[in-house]
């Protein structure tokens, strides 16, 4: 999936209205109450969702993941943007 529609720089994704992240027992689930859907997140996706909830910019997310995980900066940037694009397409995040 292309990440080209994810804004660059200081743009900040936010959870969409009626979308919440629920953490229980070391697991994170994103619940979309509008459509009655839920999404289980792996460890990295859960960390990214927490950054979305904190209103971190895309660049701040890339830096945070780079500090926490061992991968090349290019791979991290691509993967963060792909994840954010998936949130956008699913209607789970908006941009401000």
């Amino acid at each position: 999936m292309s990440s080209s529609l994810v804004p660059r720089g200081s743009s900040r994704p936010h959870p969409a209205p009626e979308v919440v992240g629920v953490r229980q027992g070391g697991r994170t689930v994103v619940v979309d109450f509008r459509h009655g859907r839920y999404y289980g997140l792996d460890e990295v996706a859960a960390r990214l969702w927490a950054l979305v909830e904190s209103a971190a910019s895309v660049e701040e997310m890339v830096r945070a993941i780079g500090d926490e995980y061992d991968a090349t900066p290019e791979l991290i940037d691509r993967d963060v943007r792909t994840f954010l694009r998936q949130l956008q397409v699913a209607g789970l995040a908006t941009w401000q």
Side-chain angles (χ1 to χ4, degrees):
M1 175 176 296
S2 171
S3 61
S4 63
L5 296 178
V6 172
R8 295 218 173 256
S10 62
S11 294
R12 297 174 187 276
H14 297 275
E18 299 185 41
V19 174
V20 297
V22 178
R23 288 167 202 72
Q24 177 107 20
R27 298 191 52 139
T28 299
V29 175
V30 173
V31 181
D32 178 353
F33 289 103
R34 289 173 307 182
H35 300 105
R37 296 183 189 135
Y38 63 93
Y39 304 84
L41 304 181
D42 68 17
E43 179 183 338
V44 178
R47 178 65 177 120
L48 284 169
W49 181 257
L51 290 165
V52 168
E53 290 179 318
S54 74
S57 72
V58 175
E59 299 307 324
E60 290 166 339
M61 290 180 188
V62 170
R63 277 195 301 276
I65 296 300
D67 289 345
E68 298 170 22
Y69 295 92
D70 185 29
T72 66
E74 296 80 15
L75 178 61
I76 291 169
D77 185 77
R78 187 196 73 210
D79 288 353
V80 166
R81 291 176 190 284
T82 297
F83 176 75
L84 294 173
R85 176 70 179 132
Q86 290 170 338
L87 291 178
Q88 186 177 19
V89 168
L92 302 176
T94 60
W95 295 91
Q96 296 179 353

